[in-house]
Amino acid sequence: MKVHQIIFEKIKELLKRYFDMKKQLLFTFLLAIQTILFSQELKIEKAQPPFWWVGMENQKLQLMLYGNEVSLSSPEINYPGVELKEIIRVENPNYLFLDLEISKEAKPGIMNIVIRIGNRLIPPFQYELKERVADSTLHQGFDQSDVVYLLMPDRFSNGDTTNDNQPDMLEKADRDNPNGRHGGDIAGIKTHLGYIRDLGATTIWINPLVENNNPEYSYHGYAITDFYKIDPRFGSNADYSNLVKSAHENGLKVIMDMVFNHASVFNWLVRDLPESNWIHQFPDYTQSNFRASTITDPHASEYDRNRMLEGWFDKHMADLDQRSELLDNFLVQNSIWWIEASGIDGVRIDTQPYSYKELMTGWSNRIFKEYPNLSVVGETWLQKESITAYFQKDAHNADEYNSGIPYVTDFPMNSAINKAFNEKDGWTEGLARLYYVLAQDFLYDNAENTFVFADNHDLTRFYTSIDKDFRKWKMGMAFLMTTRGVPMLYYGTEILMTGYEHEGHGFIRKDFPGGWPGDEMDAFTSAGRTMEQNEAFDYLQRLLQWRKNTPVVYEGKLKQFVPEDEVYVYFRYDEDECVMVILNNSDNQIKALETGRFKECLDGYNYAVNVETGENINYLDVLTLPPKSVVILELKK
Ligand code: CA
């Protein structure tokens, strides 16, 4: 028993013995004494955001304080330029929200928050207001000139084996378990920034690095337990900021993966909810129907739409209800905090359509007000082009909904890429799939603001889906790098990594060979790669370097011709330059392609350079195409 508890029990005993009072009076008196004694224990365990800055566009800050019965207190702030506008108490007495206004006059420094309970003061809580770093290399944003490299941090490289296991973290490293933690970390990524740069990617998107302190299956990062902390098995918050800095020094931009739809059931906020309305709650476990079509469907039932928005993504992930103003603010400020603290260039929003769409608009408005040059891509895992386009900024929507989020992920194109080279060409099959996806680009406000990809961390790896046919792989890669949009590569695609999604996600997220001390192979070096892997790496590297130096291929217009006789031809062009891409999908036929029908693009050009081989092609009237091949030609006058 603690000392103050013993004193309390003694007083209670004495009071019972000596006072002859009415029961109610006695109770009130006891409560007052209890408050005085127990308030000595009041400690602010967490303040989130953990610090803030002076000179933000938005002068408001909503500071959340967490501590045992902190709501009994009445904080005061006396700091020049900072005004405490409102103290918000919620259902749970362990939380207090302070609405602050930080004026332009406020200077950086340590702000004392005086915490008072009745007449008792507890030691002031110190809160830091930092100075913003003015640096033009921060928050650069990405665009079509970039090639994004997506990597899963637990599976890319283990640069520091001493952080694999942490006393406070529930799940320990187990590399033999496909669904376990393997030990990859920020140090590993940092070591291999040069590898990514040399491949020719310009931007890295890392699956979430924030704390996922869950007992199992915690490696993927999407079941967050603390929104403000990098998982110690990956490194520290400072390590993350340093990674962004090193990436910038290597000419690479960084996209941070943010999750607004759900949080782990082990998240401290979920375990001790500020208000019951922060998550969607049901008597029995209720899963989302994963039908984002209900968001755009004018005929959708409320039942289905609610099920989509309110149902949980997974048993271990509580579905957040962003309609709670406090939660909404918490999430927006969390995003701003990471952007400001780390200097990242872009944000990827996980499961965008699963959050309340109006609140995502509010989120984007506030983010872009603060960081106009930042780029944001939403994960729009949707089957149709029309629904995907709906979630892009300035979409031409009948209901006038505007997400404000500029980039979407082109899943219809992903599906087409994974089918096109496996199928026999038909009216809508084979290469026609690629053609028809692009033919619907009128749906987008800006079809260039789409992420195009052959696979990602949730999908069967591309090399597996094309039956490990290297010819198809080249067709896929060449298409990605020359069609419209921002191409995205999933780590290991460049070395032909394989894996079926239906065998379990662990199989599409295998460790990058060479990322762990003692690995048999080191695919980070050409000496450590197989001949076939080197062929793939070198092809992609050449393609990426060429793309980087050929702006017409990402800035130019796109013109496509209806696929005919298993051959699909399109051009990227402007007034001065033109690139011709030809895909022959025939499994065994060499094609002699007569180019007469492409006259409108070829006129004025006399010869071409084959980008892959460097050869000059002087006769353009008939082009010879091997089976299952792609030819990229730079047309010359
Ligand atoms: Ca490690």
Side-chain angles (χ1 to χ4, degrees):
M1 209 179 251
K2 289 178 181 170
V3 178
H4 64 261
Q5 276 171 322
I6 297 168
I7 298 169
F8 180 64
E9 290 306 321
K10 282 277 176 215
I11 294 172
K12 220 161 77 174
E13 210 180 300
L14 284 169
L15 284 170
K16 268 185 188 160
R17 202 177 297 165
Y18 294 112
F19 287 88
D20 179 27
M21 285 180 172
K22 284 183 184 171
K23 261 191 173 173
Q24 185 59 42
L25 259 173
L26 178 67
F27 176 76
T28 313
F29 190 56
L30 281 172
L31 195 73
I33 291 174
Q34 189 181 22
T35 306
I36 290 163
L37 287 168
F38 279 74
S39 65
Q40 290 176 331
E41 265 195 315
L42 175 61
K43 191 171 146 263
I44 305 299
E45 285 173 39
K46 284 178 197 286
Q48 292 192 340
F51 53 81
W52 202 249
W53 297 267
V54 295
M56 301 297 280
E57 279 296 316
N58 181 357
Q59 299 185 1
K60 289 184 182 143
L61 169 67
Q62 190 163 69
L63 177 61
M64 182 175 77
L65 299 180
Y66 180 72
N68 187 28
E69 303 207 327
V70 65
S71 74
L72 293 174
S73 71
S74 295
E76 289 166 26
I77 292 174
N78 187 5
Y79 188 85
V82 177
E83 197 182 336
L84 174 55
K85 303 289 269 190
E86 201 183 340
I87 299 173
I88 301 166
R89 294 181 173 80
V90 292
E91 278 167 32
N92 185 338
N94 297 336
Y95 291 87
L96 204 55
F97 292 82
L98 308 183
D99 272 351
L100 307 180
E101 198 159 292
I102 303 166
S103 75
K104 291 220 180 324
E105 285 70 47
K107 298 266 180 297
I110 304 288
M111 182 165 82
N112 282 332
I113 303 179
V114 179
I115 310 241
R116 193 185 292 278
I117 301 179
N119 290 325
R120 290 186 70 88
L121 280 174
I122 68 160
F125 179 75
Q126 299 198 314
Y127 191 77
E128 189 181 6
L129 291 175
K130 290 180 187 270
E131 184 158 23
R132 296 184 76 180
V133 178
D135 183 341
S136 60
T137 65
L138 307 177
H139 319 131
Q140 298 172 62
F142 52 75
D143 61 24
Q144 296 74 25
S145 66
D146 288 302
V147 173
V148 178
Y149 189 88
L150 161 64
L151 65 89
M152 180 153 276
D154 184 61
R155 304 299 170 86
F156 187 61
S157 170
N158 190 354
D160 178 4
T161 52
T162 67
N163 65 12
D164 294 1
N165 293 302
Q166 299 281 335
D168 297 339
M169 296 291 118
L170 298 171
E171 191 176 10
K172 306 300 171 194
D174 178 5
R175 218 181 150 193
D176 295 330
N177 175 2
N179 298 322
R181 290 196 82 103
H182 291 187
D185 49 32
I186 290 174
I189 301 169
K190 209 171 162 183
T191 310
H192 297 296
L193 290 173
Y195 167 81
I196 299 169
R197 179 200 59 212
D198 293 345
L199 173 65
T202 62
T203 303
I204 45 174
W205 154 24
I206 307 167
N207 294 118
L209 287 158
V210 284
E211 186 193 88
N212 274 232
N213 190 10
N214 304 303
E216 55 181 7
Y217 205 65
S218 71
Y219 73 93
H220 56 71
Y222 291 98
I224 296 171
T225 53
D226 189 335
F227 281 95
Y228 278 98
K229 190 177 157 206
I230 295 291
D231 194 294
R233 290 161 292 191
F234 291 139
S236 65
N237 286 14
D239 291 335
Y240 182 62
S241 300
N242 286 332
L243 173 69
V244 176
K245 199 164 172 265
S246 301
H248 287 166
E249 285 163 3
N250 275 283
L252 296 168
K253 302 171 195 175
V254 180
I255 299 176
M256 185 168 186
D257 204 329
M258 295 188 181
V259 189
F260 307 122
N261 178 63
H262 47 257
S264 165
V265 290
F266 294 94
N267 188 304
W268 68 276
L269 286 164
V270 176
R271 293 179 81 127
D272 195 19
L273 281 171
E275 293 183 295
S276 51
N277 67 1
W278 277 40
I279 62 171
H280 293 115
Q281 304 201 47
F282 303 89
D284 299 305
Y285 174 68
T286 303
Q287 198 163 42
S288 174
N289 54 16
F290 304 106
R291 297 278 186 177
S293 50
T294 58
I295 309 299
T296 53
D297 175 7
H299 315 291
S301 66
E302 275 177 44
Y303 171 84
D304 288 337
R305 192 173 289 167
N306 291 344
R307 193 64 196 267
M308 160 69 192
L309 288 168
E310 297 174 10
W312 288 26
F313 213 77
D314 178 275
K315 263 190 176 146
H316 309 290
M317 296 175 182
D319 198 74
L320 298 172
D321 185 349
Q322 304 89 4
R323 290 173 303 179
S324 156
E325 213 175 304
L326 292 169
L327 170 61
D328 183 42
N329 227 343
F330 176 88
L331 295 170
V332 174
Q333 289 185 166
N334 179 252
S335 304
I336 292 173
W337 189 85
W338 280 113
I339 298 166
E340 186 68 24
S342 66
I344 50 167
D345 306 289
V347 172
R348 180 258 184 185
I349 300 173
D350 186 52
T351 59
Q352 184 191 334
Y354 291 77
S355 298
Y356 290 94
K357 62 181 185 181
E358 296 78 12
L359 293 153
M360 289 318 301
T361 303
W363 178 91
S364 60
N365 288 343
R366 285 180 62 182
I367 298 302
F368 288 117
K369 192 178 170 205
E370 216 68 63
Y371 307 101
N373 298 326
L374 193 87
S375 296
V376 179
V377 56
E379 182 200 17
T380 45
W381 191 346
L382 306 163
Q383 283 68 39
K384 302 281 182 189
E385 292 81 351
S386 51
I387 312 177
T388 311
Y390 180 87
F391 288 98
Q392 191 187 53
K393 184 185 176 188
D394 297 334
H396 311 231
N397 294 327
D399 67 359
E400 299 188 342
Y401 173 66
N402 188 350
S403 72
I405 296 163
Y407 290 81
V408 291
T409 36
D410 194 346
F411 277 85
M413 181 66 94
N414 169 266
S415 169
I417 292 170
N418 278 271
K419 288 175 182 159
F421 314 118
N422 290 340
E423 289 177 343
K424 189 150 178 53
D425 278 45
W427 191 261
T428 54
E429 297 79 29
L431 295 172
R433 290 187 185 275
L434 306 175
Y435 165 82
Y436 276 120
V437 171
L438 294 171
Q440 294 176 78
D441 274 358
F442 67 93
L443 291 164
Y444 291 101
D445 179 67
N446 186 347
E448 290 284 353
N449 286 358
T450 49
F451 268 37
V452 290
F453 50 100
D455 52 10
N456 71 15
H457 61 292
D458 289 322
L459 304 166
T460 291
R461 279 189 175 273
F462 184 55
Y463 202 50
T464 297
S465 103
I466 49 169
D467 307 323
K468 301 185 194 175
D469 185 332
F470 188 60
R471 303 170 306 167
K472 295 180 190 174
W473 181 88
K474 279 168 81 173
M475 292 169 84
M477 293 301 113
F479 177 75
L480 278 184
M481 297 305 154
T482 54
T483 189
R484 54 79 171 141
V486 181
M488 193 276 286
L489 294 168
Y490 182 41
Y491 81 96
T493 298
E494 73 276 22
I495 54 155
L496 309 174
M497 277 172 73
T498 54
Y500 280 111
E501 189 273 334
H502 63 76
E503 285 179 355
H505 279 178
F507 293 95
I508 53 175
R509 302 164 179 177
K510 287 179 211 156
D511 299 342
F512 192 99
W516 274 249
D519 275 1
E520 272 177 31
M521 278 181 66
D522 181 3
F524 286 113
T525 64
S526 60
R529 292 190 280 266
T530 64
M531 261 175 69
E532 201 184 26
Q533 283 175 332
N534 267 327
E535 203 181 329
F537 183 94
D538 295 347
Y539 178 78
L540 204 49
Q541 187 183 47
R542 240 185 352 262
L543 191 59
L544 266 53
Q545 292 299 340
W546 166 78
R547 186 183 192 272
K548 202 176 286 181
N549 298 318
T550 315
V552 71
V553 87
Y554 53 81
E555 283 175 1
K557 292 180 185 169
L558 189 153
K559 183 172 286 196
Q560 62 174 349
F561 290 78
V562 177
E564 274 183 20
D565 186 29
E566 303 177 297
V567 175
Y568 173 43
V569 174
Y570 58 95
F571 295 83
R572 298 299 305 253
Y573 67 102
D574 59 22
E575 281 179 9
D576 304 313
E577 288 177 88
C578 188
V579 169
M580 181 182 192
V581 184
I582 311 159
L583 294 154
N584 174 13
N585 209 23
S586 170
D587 206 31
N588 45 37
Q589 282 179 35
I590 298 170
K591 302 275 182 184
L593 178 69
E594 289 182 18
T595 59
R597 68 182 169 112
F598 315 118
K599 190 171 179 292
E600 64 191 277
C601 291
L602 291 174
D603 256 2
Y605 291 98
N606 297 318
Y607 72 102
V609 178
N610 182 323
V611 170
E612 185 183 353
T613 62
E615 287 175 295
N616 276 9
I617 296 169
N618 296 317
Y619 183 68
L620 294 176
D621 292 352
V622 180
L623 298 168
T624 308
L625 314 166
K628 283 279 175 218
S629 71
V630 56
V631 179
I632 305 174
L633 300 178
E634 248 182 83
L635 298 174
K636 302 285 179 189
K637 283 174 181 165

